[in-house]
Amino acid sequence: MSEKKEPSILDGFKAFLMRGNVVDLAVAVVIGAAFTNIVNSVVRGVINPFVGAIGTKNLDSYSSCLKGPCEKAADGTVTSGVMILWGSVLGATLSFVITAAVVYFLMVLPMSKYLARQEARRKAKEGTHEVIEVTELEVLKEIRDALVAQRGSGHNQS
């Protein structure tokens, strides 16, 4: 009798790592981390100066005092009172929206258009294949009908 050897933990881990999803996810995380630097640079170099034209260039400085008196230390930490730092939330929201827009317009939209074109080509190819098959079927039916008619007319002459 042969005994089945149970897969080891390392074999299971190796199988897990070799799945396509894990590799794709790892690539996405690395690209996302690099992409974050680009988005942060756009926010600091483009968005913040536009906001700075209205107020200050640093969105983190926008805040409201919920329970006063509110005081901040030189390093930005709240020393007294309850302060809502809505500027940092606004900055993070802008970073998210910019990231989502860039990912959508530079990656998702072109890829979906490309996949739609590929699907249309595939369907067009299948459509021509079906037309050819239907045409061949019609020709075969005509040949059959001609043979039946020929056999019938030849049979009557004998």
Side-chain angles (χ1 to χ4, degrees), residues 35 39 42-43 47 93-103:
F35 192 69
V39 171
V42 169
V43 169
I47 302 298
T93 304
L94 285 174
S95 293
F96 172 76
V97 169
I98 290 169
T99 303
V102 169
V103 166

Side-chain angles (χ1 to χ4, degrees), residues 122-136:
R122 186 188 64 77
K123 284 187 178 184
K125 197 174 196 180
E126 284 180 3
T128 24
H129 187 63
E130 287 175 9
V131 168
I132 291 170
E133 285 178 7
V134 168
T135 306
E136 288 175 3

